[in-house]
Amino acid sequence: MHWLADLLAAIGVVLNGIPQGIMAMSLGFAVFPTAFSFGLVGLINGVASSVAPVSFQAESLALVGHLGHDLRERSSIIFLGASLMFVIGLTGTLPLIVHSLGNQLMAVMAGVGLMLAKIALQMAHEQPQFGWLSIGLAGVTYLISKDLVWTIAVSVIGTSCYAATTHYRVALPEHVTTRKLQFVRPQFSFKILRGALSLACLNIDANLSYGLITGQMTGQHPNPVNLNLLTSSQALADLGTSLLGGAPVETIISATASAPEPVIAGILMMLIMMLILLLGWLPKLGKVVPSTAIAGFLFILGTIVIFPENATTALHGSLSTVAGVTLVVTALVDPFAGLMTGALLKFGLPLIGLGL
């Protein structure tokens, strides 16, 4: 019966990823080329026996949507950010970055949690009849269940059911739903560079946190997740899909890791998601599910799940003031600005005999 448990775990993670896929469509990303990202990482995981899959990730989607004005800017941010992450993965410098910056990375992640909460409130303000309902449903569900899967399911399904009573329907742009490949030429500017660096900072945090948590869920010792392989494969997938207007796929905390065969379960999940995208089923849902239906999940994810744990870790120790400044700047500006501010305070001030 191992195969059944593997399949159920895979289906559970797919159901969790579908609302975030709808969020990707609302930002203008094409779903058809994104399918090949799932296939590529599935192939790499099969060859390397990696337990850490990728999927749509609300944090990266929210950040890219916040930093990029249109599809071309967002795709350019993903392409440049993925290029940086690919170099980091290939050269094996991720552990060195983590060792050098320490708790500042957790401060950045805590700041991202506040960013997600702010974005959720903005979404609720834009479509109050759906956004506030989603936040209310998510809050009540999480208080009762303490489970993110139930939280996203109840808030998205409940909001969608209400939207159906109002005859809600939205027309998606043709490039989002078309089942063919279209090249998106990257552009370069200071805004895109800063956005790419911010996305890279977020992915470093996510690969470290989510990747290792997924590895721990297998119960194997030592942790089976190879961070350099995970970083390289995720970046390689984003490099390709960004040139075709597809959505980024990033590291997630995946329940497939707790399945009897975590490698197989993770690959199954990505193959199922690839099939859903190739067959055009996700756009059909995107036409009747409001993009703000995910506002509640973003709010709970940011304020209750991401912020408290990471802020507690970051603010513990002798450099708590530096971490606090990093957190605030990240929340108000972006992850790169926060990380650079923290690095300047941590390494720059001592050079001139000052400190916090």
Side-chain angles (χ1 to χ4, degrees):
M1 295 295 287
H2 280 186
W3 65 270
L4 181 59
D6 293 337
L7 180 61
L8 290 175
I11 291 174
V13 179
V14 167
L15 293 176
N16 183 60
I18 284 176
Q20 296 168 75
I22 293 172
M23 179 183 180
M25 290 191 298
S26 74
L27 295 173
F29 291 115
V31 297
F32 187 70
T34 311
F36 298 100
S37 295
F38 285 97
L40 175 62
V41 180
L43 177 62
I44 293 173
N45 281 13
V47 172
S49 297
S50 174
V51 301
V54 298
S55 187
F56 297 110
Q57 185 202 84
E59 297 91 319
S60 62
L61 289 170
L63 180 64
V64 172
H66 173 69
L67 296 175
H69 175 68
D70 54 26
L71 176 63
R72 191 176 176 195
E73 279 192 358
R74 291 165 184 165
S75 295
S76 300
I77 288 171
I78 296 167
F79 178 78
L80 187 54
S83 301
L84 295 172
M85 292 302 293
F86 189 62
V87 172
I88 289 173
L90 280 184
T91 57
T93 52
L94 184 60
L96 177 62
I97 294 172
V98 172
H99 177 74
S100 300
L101 296 175
N103 283 356
Q104 308 317 305
L105 291 174
M106 298 301 102
V108 168
M109 204 65 180
V112 169
L114 294 182
M115 284 184 67
L116 291 178
K118 180 182 177 182
I119 290 169
L121 294 176
Q122 289 173 342
M123 294 172 74
H125 179 73
E126 292 168 2
Q127 285 188 317
Q129 72 273 36
F130 302 134
W132 291 116
L133 174 62
S134 175
I135 291 175
L137 289 172
V140 171
T141 304
Y142 190 81
L143 287 175
I144 295 173
S145 69
K146 301 295 188 296
D147 189 302
L148 278 179
V149 175
W150 278 105
T151 299
I152 193 171
V154 172
S155 59
V156 171
I157 293 173
T159 304
S160 300
C161 289
Y162 172 71
T165 66
T166 66
H167 305 290
Y168 173 87
R169 192 172 182 85
V170 64
L172 296 172
E174 183 181 354
H175 73 270
V176 171
T177 59
T178 186
R179 291 163 67 182
K180 60 182 180 180
L181 303 178
Q182 298 178 331
F183 179 69
V184 177
R185 185 166 61 88
Q187 62 185 92
F188 185 81
S189 66
F190 177 75
K191 177 183 179 181
I192 289 171
L193 175 61
R194 198 178 79 173
L197 291 169
S198 295
L199 183 60
C201 291
L202 174 60
N203 282 334
I204 288 172
D205 279 334
N207 288 0
L208 176 67
S209 303
Y210 299 169
L212 293 181
I213 289 174
T214 297
Q216 289 172 359
M217 290 169 65
T218 65
Q220 300 176 23
H221 300 283
N223 195 305
V225 172
N226 183 326
L227 290 176
N228 292 321
L229 174 66
L230 175 61
T231 300
S232 300
S233 58
Q234 167 249 310
L236 186 61
D238 283 352
L239 275 172
T241 193
S242 62
L243 293 174
L244 301 170
V249 293
E250 316 292 2
T251 308
I252 59 169
I253 298 174
S254 178
T256 57
S258 59
E261 301 291 344
V263 175
I264 294 175
I267 294 172
L268 269 177
M269 182 277 290
M270 290 185 281
L271 290 179
I272 293 171
M273 188 65 83
M274 181 179 73
L275 187 63
I276 289 172
L277 299 183
L278 288 176
L279 294 177
W281 293 348
L282 190 63
K284 292 179 181 178
L285 289 173
K287 292 177 181 179
V288 296
V289 176
S291 60
T292 47
I294 202 172
F297 172 71
L298 292 179
F299 187 79
I300 296 299
L301 181 66
T303 58
I304 298 180
V305 178
I306 293 178
F307 176 76
E309 180 179 354
N310 287 282
T312 300
T313 303
L315 298 176
H316 179 75
S318 58
L319 295 174
S320 58
T321 304
V322 174
V325 174
T326 302
L327 191 162
V328 172
V329 173
T330 298
L332 295 178
V333 187
D334 59 55
F336 177 68
L339 193 61
M340 288 300 99
T341 301
L344 179 64
L345 295 176
K346 181 178 180 178
F347 301 112
L349 289 183
L351 296 177
I352 57 175
L354 299 175
L356 289 176

